[in-house]
């Protein structure tokens, strides 16, 4: 299988595991790409690289400041091996500056480097909202109460040309109840106060809505086949997995069955699992063997259900929706005076009057 996937030096290669559509490799992704991929051979790279987190995680994140230097050679390889019609999708969480309630700019700097120094185009930025995210960092959010909960990751969608192949028809969303009502009652074309001309076409029922660039998925997997497999074999589950719906959104939108998808920082190989289900060819590369041992569980017989999509939201009752409160809903209360030092002095147990 690995020989069919790779164009270069494939005969020298030993896969950690192969499946019907793909293969996983235990290797450094940078060396692997340089050794085995010819240029313009990959349709999609979808990945969550190690983040430049302030508090280092077990799998060896680099410091935020070092991040760009570390990432650049990967960016250059990504550009080389992607087809002109291909895409690079990077899920990247933000980071806080140690000891103060301000944010690192590293993930924005990464986006700027990929565009200005490496020549990628920003096809679109997406935001992954994790509604189940805990309020952290506790010191700024729950103790001093001076920052909001940080619950979105940026997802940068880059392309080597301005015209990556893509269709939003592949990732449609169900209509909301209000839109359904509007379609039923009809809509009178008019000019909005904003100047937008809402034509009669707006009231045509296309069966589903065009998705926004906000993807709402909780990261709350607790009893999956993968986790049970890890428990059974005494393996640590990967500590920074993304939910399958994240790679799945982009794999559906940006590739056709049979296309080649690369997960260069594969972790537990979620990307491979999704590709297998969607009949895309795939390669996952991960440098820590323990994570690949666990990933094997994703490809055991019976590991995932037969149906292509794991979710079937009952669109008629708005199941599977996440609602966000309108910000003004609780704006009628008392206005606690703001601290003039911005909360720098730590005051605990402030008595509520
Ligand atoms: C954020 S995790 C990816 C998790 C993955 N998306 C999942 O859902 O399981 C990043 C992974 O990149 C791996 N990694 C770091 N440097 C690497 C390299 N040079 N080559 C291959 N993998 C690497 C880490 O070991 C870690 O498992």
């Amino acid at each position: 299988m690995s020989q069919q996937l790779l164009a270069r030096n494939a005969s020298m290669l030993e896969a950690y595991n192969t499946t019907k559509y793909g293969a996983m490799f235990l290797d450094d992704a940078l060396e692997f790409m340089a050794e085995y991929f010819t240029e313009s051979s990959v349709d999609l790279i979808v990945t969550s690289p190690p983040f430049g987190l302030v508090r280092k995680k077990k799998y060896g994140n680099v410091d935020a400041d070092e991040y760009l230097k570390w990432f650049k050679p990967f960016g250059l390889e990504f550009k080389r091996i992607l087809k002109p019609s291909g895409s690079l999708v990077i899920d990247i969480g933000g980071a806080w500056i140690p000891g103060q309630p301000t944010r690192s700019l590293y993930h924005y700097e990464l986006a700027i480097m990929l565009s200005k120094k490496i020549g990628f185009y920003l096809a679109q930025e997406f935001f992954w909202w994790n509604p189940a995210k805990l309020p952290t960092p506790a010191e700024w959010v729950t103790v001093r109460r001076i920052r909001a909960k940080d619950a979105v990751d940026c997802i940068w969608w880059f392309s080597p040309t301005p015209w990556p192949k893509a269709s939003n028809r592949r990732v449609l969303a169900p209509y909301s109840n209000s839109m359904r009502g509007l379609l039923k009652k009809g809509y009178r074309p008019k000019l909005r106060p904003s100047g937008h001309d809402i034509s009669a076409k707006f009231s045509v029922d296309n069966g589903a809505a065009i998705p926004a660039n906000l993807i709402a998925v909780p990261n709350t997997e607790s009893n999956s086949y993968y986790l049970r497999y890890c428990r059974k074999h005494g393996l640590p589950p990967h500590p920074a997995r993304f939910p399958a719906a994240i790679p799945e959104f982009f794999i559906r939108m940006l590739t056709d069955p049979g296309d080649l998808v690369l997960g260069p920082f594969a972790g537990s190989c979620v990307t491979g699992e999704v590709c297998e289900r969607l009949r895309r060819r795939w390669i996952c590369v991960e440098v820590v063997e323990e994570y690949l041992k666990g990933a094997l569980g994703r490809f055991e017989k019976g590991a995932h259900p037969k149906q292509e999509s794991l979710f079937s939201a009952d669109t008629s009752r708005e199941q599977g929706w996440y609602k966000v409160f309108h910000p003004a809903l609780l704006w009628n209360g008392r206005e606690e005076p703001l601290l003039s030092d911005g909360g720098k002095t730590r005051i605990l147990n402030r008595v509520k009057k």
Side-chain angles (χ1 to χ4, degrees):
M1 169 56 66
S2 45
Q3 314 229 354
Q4 291 160 21
L5 291 169
L6 294 157
R8 204 148 89 168
N9 301 334
S11 56
M12 296 153 62
L13 194 67
E14 213 180 305
Y16 197 78
N17 188 46
T18 61
T19 64
K20 187 170 178 194
Y21 291 102
M24 57 173 95
F25 295 90
L26 175 62
D27 207 342
D28 177 287
L30 189 58
E31 290 171 14
F32 188 92
M33 289 187 285
E35 186 75 19
Y36 299 111
F37 282 99
T38 46
E39 58 190 62
S40 304
S41 55
V42 174
D43 294 284
L44 171 66
I45 297 169
V46 57
T47 192
S48 59
F51 303 162
L53 293 178
V54 168
R55 202 179 303 144
K56 291 192 182 192
K57 285 215 170 135
K58 223 175 142 198
Y59 54 81
N61 283 297
V62 292
D63 266 341
D65 288 348
E66 288 286 306
Y67 202 74
L68 297 186
K69 225 162 70 196
W70 174 78
F71 202 96
K72 192 168 178 196
F74 286 96
L76 290 165
E77 275 302 294
F78 293 162
K79 180 90 187 316
R80 184 183 70 80
I81 68 175
L82 275 174
K83 292 181 185 170
S85 58
S87 287
L88 165 65
V89 173
I90 300 177
D91 157 39
I92 189 146
W96 294 87
I97 305 284
Q100 66 184 45
T102 61
R103 300 279 282 167
S104 163
L105 293 173
Y106 89 100
H107 50 320
Y108 298 106
E109 285 170 6
L110 173 70
I112 289 167
M113 179 184 79
L114 286 167
S115 156
K116 300 268 186 232
K117 298 255 160 63
I118 300 185
F120 276 107
Y121 294 83
L122 181 61
Q124 196 164 18
E125 67 274 44
F126 277 72
F127 301 94
W128 164 27
W129 172 45
N130 175 358
K133 194 97 172 225
L134 292 173
T136 59
E139 185 62 31
W140 315 133
V141 177
T142 59
V143 179
R144 302 193 199 204
R145 306 286 294 262
I146 52 176
R147 294 295 179 268
K149 180 168 92 163
D150 177 28
V152 292
D153 270 14
C154 291
I155 300 182
W156 307 130
W157 167 22
F158 280 103
S159 49
T161 69
W163 296 98
K165 61 178 186 176
S167 171
N168 67 24
R169 289 196 177 90
R170 302 270 192 84
V171 284
L172 294 175
Y175 282 133
S176 63
N177 274 349
S178 57
M179 185 64 194
R180 247 185 258 125
L182 214 121
L183 289 170
K184 219 162 156 186
K185 277 194 262 145
Y187 184 84
R188 217 160 17 91
K190 64 176 176 213
L191 196 67
R192 282 252 175 116
S194 61
H196 283 100
D197 194 359
I198 306 294
S199 75
K201 282 191 193 142
F202 187 70
S203 55
V204 174
D205 187 346
N206 291 306
I210 292 169
N213 60 346
L214 174 70
I215 305 178
V217 200
N219 206 359
T220 48
E221 184 183 53
S222 65
N223 191 28
S224 62
Y225 194 98
Y226 165 74
L227 288 178
R228 279 181 270 131
Y229 180 91
C230 288
R231 274 197 290 274
K232 188 169 143 199
H233 292 87
L235 295 163
H238 195 286
R241 302 181 310 278
F242 53 22
I246 297 297
E248 181 158 351
F249 185 96
F250 295 98
I251 290 166
R252 284 181 183 276
M253 185 175 171
L254 305 174
T255 65
D256 293 306
D259 280 357
L260 181 59
V261 178
L262 168 67
F265 304 108
S268 65
C269 235
V270 179
T271 298
E273 181 185 330
V274 174
C275 286
E276 195 70 21
R277 190 158 37 86
L278 301 184
R279 299 182 299 280
R280 270 66 169 175
R281 295 176 304 132
W282 58 271
I283 289 180
C284 279
V285 188
E286 167 58 51
V287 80
V288 177
E289 184 171 10
E290 230 174 20
Y291 299 148
L292 288 188
K293 279 188 184 159
L296 292 178
R298 296 191 183 277
F299 304 97
E300 274 203 330
K301 216 166 172 221
H304 41 87
K306 289 247 177 319
Q307 79 264 25
E308 199 182 76
S309 174
L310 297 182
F311 298 93
S312 54
D314 177 352
T315 55
S316 61
R317 287 192 294 141
E318 297 209 352
Q319 275 179 11
W321 288 75
Y322 291 94
K323 294 197 173 170
V324 188
F325 287 113
H326 189 289
L329 280 183
L330 289 180
W331 281 356
N332 299 324
R334 190 172 67 85
E335 290 203 61
E336 189 179 314
L338 299 177
L339 300 167
S340 58
D341 69 353
K344 197 169 175 190
T345 317
R346 198 172 196 259
I347 309 167
L348 290 181
N349 302 325
R350 249 181 297 145
V351 184
K352 280 199 177 135
K353 291 189 192 128

